[in-house]
Amino acid sequence: MIYFDNSATTKPHPEVIDSFTKVSAHYFANPSSIHPLGGQVEKLLEAARQQAADLIDVPKETVIFTSGGTEGNNTAIKGVALEHQSRGKHIITTTAEHPSIHDTCESLEKFGFEITYLPVTKDGTVSAAEVEKAVRKDTILVTMMQVNNEIGSIQPIEEIANVLQKYPKVLFHVDAVQGLGKVPLKLADTGIDLCTFSGHKIHGLKGTGILYVNHTAKLYPLLHGGSQESGIRSGTENVAGAVSFVKALRLIKEKQQRNILKKLHDKLMEELYQMEGIEINSPADGAHHIVHFSVPGIKPEVIIHSLSQKEIYISTKSACSSRDQAESHVLVACGKANDIASSGLRISFSYENTEEEVAIFVKELKKAIQQFKEVLR
């Protein structure tokens, strides 16, 4: 099997599964209980929080455990909107965001919030200058992805964060789900107020993740109850999930220094450039683990089905919208024509993939395209 759909989800690492199983079996008490068993679990949870903080180099109290990217993005965006609406209802984002940002912002429009959707370049990025131009007196939040989940564009997050420091009342939220463990991002003392991470993108388990919340960021909680997670996320904590997330985070950080992703990226891009009828959508300076291209005239599901018969698994766009047969909103935002925007294919690598797998994929891709062309003759 060749699995090239790692931006949708990754295969959990055995050590991650083992840590979840052990904690679930032996540390099952409620961490809020005052008896010794509860105390042991609470200590384990706080140890996991400290380890997560150390691994992303932030203070322990800024780490909030969540169920993943969608919850993290919703908590950040809606939390800021509800908490700060008395001083402004203007939010800035881009036209090429993941549904968990785009749809969340869109939902707030029903409650009187005004959203500025900044247009992106053909490479899927915006400049810090464009962001600054969009800032108004009533702006309360700027929210965007670090790495685009479809085409791998990398936003100039550090530059944008630096510019926004001139506007201390404007909070900056970054969705770093696709960048974690692959594209470096410094959080502490950079101007980034909120940042979302997800476990199942780094060989962790689904339903795990963290939201970084800077000391200066005030959020209105979406969940009320027992005031867990600093009052931001009430509900009995998923301690096994938190511990397993930290295990996955530690393992991916150890692999981040390898250059295998660049080798895979460069090898595949070189092959694609030589193929006729291929339109490459990923920018040359994008994230190395994502390569997106289109084969105009051929429906992507046809190629995906053909490759699946060879046990090669790729995707089209975000797994959250892949069942939607419409054109990619990201490619449309980048100015791509309909035939390109509706025929996109995404290859996304992990550190476990090999150059041999890339060679096999290219060979089978050529076969699939040729077979389809022969059918049309």
Side-chain angles (χ1 to χ4, degrees):
M1 180 184 77
I2 297 176
Y3 185 74
F4 282 168
D5 195 19
N6 291 282
S7 284
T9 196
T10 53
K11 181 179 180 180
H13 194 285
E15 289 185 40
V16 171
I17 297 173
D18 186 53
S19 66
F20 182 87
T21 302
K22 286 182 178 178
V23 173
S24 296
H26 301 291
Y27 295 88
F28 55 84
N30 191 317
S32 297
S33 297
I34 62 174
H35 52 63
L37 285 181
Q40 290 176 1
V41 178
E42 183 184 21
K43 287 181 181 178
L44 181 61
L45 177 64
E46 293 312 306
R49 195 185 312 279
Q50 183 64 65
Q51 290 166 13
D54 291 342
L55 287 166
I56 60 175
D57 195 23
V58 298
K60 172 187 173 184
E61 52 274 15
T62 64
V63 173
I64 305 299
F65 287 110
T66 70
S67 66
T70 295
E71 184 193 337
N73 288 341
N74 273 262
T75 299
I77 298 169
K78 292 177 181 175
V80 169
L82 295 174
E83 181 67 26
H84 301 281
Q85 59 183 319
S86 61
R87 63 178 178 81
K89 284 193 167 186
H90 180 233
I91 296 172
I92 299 170
T93 187
T94 83
T95 54
E97 295 302 315
H98 186 273
S100 62
I101 286 184
H102 178 275
D103 293 0
T104 299
C105 288
E106 195 173 60
S107 74
L108 289 172
E109 293 181 284
K110 298 176 182 178
F111 297 93
F113 288 86
E114 184 179 348
I115 315 298
T116 294
Y117 298 93
L118 293 175
V120 297
T121 66
K122 64 179 181 179
D123 289 338
T125 60
V126 296
S127 68
E130 290 170 324
V131 173
E132 185 171 19
K133 283 180 185 177
V135 174
R136 309 183 324 201
K137 288 184 178 180
D138 60 340
T139 303
I140 57 174
L141 175 69
V142 174
T143 175
M144 66 180 64
M145 310 166 90
Q146 176 202 20
V147 176
N148 187 274
N149 60 304
E150 287 193 28
I151 64 174
S153 308
I154 302 175
Q155 295 288 5
I157 296 298
E158 291 81 3
E159 295 173 26
I160 294 170
N162 186 53
V163 164
L164 290 177
Q165 290 194 69
K166 294 189 289 185
Y167 307 91
K169 291 187 177 181
V170 178
L171 297 175
F172 187 27
H173 165 246
V174 177
D175 174 355
V177 166
Q178 288 294 341
L180 183 59
K182 307 170 190 77
V183 180
L185 180 66
K186 181 175 170 54
L187 293 178
D189 304 318
T190 60
I192 296 173
D193 299 290
L194 303 142
C195 193
T196 304
F197 300 105
S198 178
H200 76 104
K201 308 292 188 180
I202 57 169
H203 303 280
L205 301 178
K206 298 173 183 66
T208 65
I210 59 174
L211 175 65
Y212 162 75
V213 181
N214 195 353
H215 295 297
T216 59
K218 300 268 191 254
L219 301 181
Y220 187 86
L222 304 188
L223 301 174
H224 292 86
S227 297
Q228 290 91 342
E229 296 300 304
S230 300
I232 293 175
R233 187 184 191 266
S234 290
T236 302
E237 300 92 338
N238 177 11
V239 180
V243 172
S244 71
F245 174 85
V246 172
K247 173 64 76 172
L249 182 59
R250 186 181 304 282
L251 292 172
I252 203 75
K253 285 289 185 178
E254 291 172 356
K255 296 174 181 177
Q256 190 168 341
Q257 302 306 316
R258 301 181 187 176
N259 63 356
I260 181 61
L261 295 179
K262 185 177 188 307
K263 288 182 179 179
L264 299 176
H265 172 273
D266 292 351
K267 181 177 178 63
L268 179 55
M269 291 287 272
E270 181 182 356
E271 292 284 356
L272 292 175
Y273 276 126
Q274 296 175 18
M275 294 175 62
E276 292 185 10
I278 296 287
E279 176 80 18
I280 297 177
N281 301 313
S282 291
D285 60 351
H288 293 145
H289 64 292
I290 297 176
V291 175
H292 196 284
F293 62 93
S294 295
V295 188
I298 304 180
K299 292 182 178 180
E301 56 266 28
V302 172
I303 294 178
I304 290 174
H305 177 70
S306 178
L307 293 174
S308 295
Q309 292 181 323
K310 303 290 185 178
E311 293 192 321
I312 299 173
Y313 302 102
I314 66 172
S315 62
T316 54
K317 46 188 175 179
S318 166
C320 296
S321 56
S322 62
R323 294 185 182 276
D324 180 1
Q325 299 301 314
E327 57 194 9
S328 161
H329 81 281
V330 173
L331 295 184
V332 170
C334 294
K336 299 291 185 180
N338 176 267
D339 62 334
I340 294 173
S342 60
S343 61
L345 295 165
R346 182 183 68 181
I347 283 71
S348 47
F349 303 121
S350 79
Y351 291 103
E352 308 305 316
N353 292 128
T354 66
E355 292 184 68
E356 180 183 3
E357 289 178 329
V358 172
I360 295 172
F361 164 73
V362 170
K363 179 182 176 182
E364 295 300 332
L365 175 64
K366 289 178 179 178
K367 283 184 182 179
I369 294 174
Q370 185 60 37
Q371 287 173 359
F372 185 81
K373 289 181 177 179
E374 289 176 356
V375 170
L376 291 181
R377 287 176 185 170

